[in-house]
Amino acid sequence: MGIAWRAVPTSGATISPVAAVASAPSHLLRRWQSSPGADATQQVQESMDKINDLFVEAREEIAYAQEDAGTTYFNDSYDDAKGLVDKVLEQWDTLLSGLEENERGKVQRSMGLKMEQLKAELQQLDTLHD
């Protein structure tokens, strides 16, 4: 299978950029559309997804620790929850430190409240810890 190219006018007529893009083969368009900025955006999104997954796990561990309050299992549950919260916050800080100011603001607006919630829940758990 060969690539089918559309004929470009050779009579001195010009072709508009829109028409040129519309007639370009799809594999060239994909390469053009996947610019380095798109790769960076995808990496940021992947990091955010990973942090969100860890956020869910950390909240579950906090809930387990709260259920274990007053039992012999509490200290272990607390340590597990604190370890995961620390991991989430470390990855959050790493993500933010690698972003430019404009992008950092967008990410903070989309996830910053979650991070504050996690800190507050751990602080609440600290009051139960001896």
Side-chain angles (χ1 to χ4, degrees), residues 2 8-9 11 28 31 40 43 48 50 54 74 77 84 86 106 118 123:
V8 177
S11 63
L28 292 178
R31 186 176 311 146
Q43 288 175 349
M48 289 172 60
K50 186 176 180 182
L54 286 172
F74 178 73
S77 296
L84 265 174
D86 289 345
K106 290 178 188 177
L118 203 57
Q123 190 173 22

Side-chain angles (χ1 to χ4, degrees), residues 99-106 108:
L99 298 174
E100 293 190 20
E101 188 174 339
N102 185 33
E103 189 68 21
R104 186 180 314 122
K106 290 178 188 177
Q108 283 178 319

Side-chain angles (χ1 to χ4, degrees), residues 34-63:
S34 64
S35 64
D39 290 340
T41 301
Q42 183 177 356
Q43 288 175 349
V44 169
Q45 186 60 50
E46 288 172 2
S47 294
M48 289 172 60
D49 291 345
K50 186 176 180 182
I51 291 169
N52 275 323
D53 291 344
L54 286 172
F55 171 82
V56 170
E57 288 181 49
R59 292 209 54 227
E60 288 174 355
E61 289 298 327
I62 289 171

Side-chain angles (χ1 to χ4, degrees), residues 26-130:
S26 61
H27 74 282
L28 292 178
L29 287 176
R30 279 192 298 274
R31 186 176 311 146
W32 176 70
Q33 290 169 342
S34 64
S35 64
D39 290 340
T41 301
Q42 183 177 356
Q43 288 175 349
V44 169
Q45 186 60 50
E46 288 172 2
S47 294
M48 289 172 60
D49 291 345
K50 186 176 180 182
I51 291 169
N52 275 323
D53 291 344
L54 286 172
F55 171 82
V56 170
E57 288 181 49
R59 292 209 54 227
E60 288 174 355
E61 289 298 327
I62 289 171
Y64 295 145
Q66 288 171 338
E67 290 173 9
D68 289 343
T71 70
T72 57
Y73 304 109
F74 178 73
N75 286 336
D76 289 336
S77 296
Y78 173 84
D79 291 341
D80 292 343
K82 183 168 180 0
L84 265 174
V85 169
D86 289 345
K87 186 175 182 177
V88 171
L89 295 176
E90 179 183 322
Q91 289 192 14
W92 171 248
D93 290 339
T94 300
L95 172 63
L96 290 180
S97 68
L99 298 174
E100 293 190 20
E101 188 174 339
N102 185 33
E103 189 68 21
R104 186 180 314 122
K106 290 178 188 177
V107 171
Q108 283 178 319
R109 284 187 296 279
S110 71
M111 292 180 61
L113 287 176
K114 285 183 175 183
M115 299 304 116
E116 293 305 315
Q117 174 187 358
L118 203 57
K119 290 176 190 177
E121 288 178 0
L122 183 65
Q123 190 173 22
Q124 183 180 16
L125 198 59
D126 281 338
T127 62
L128 302 174
H129 190 256
D130 24 292

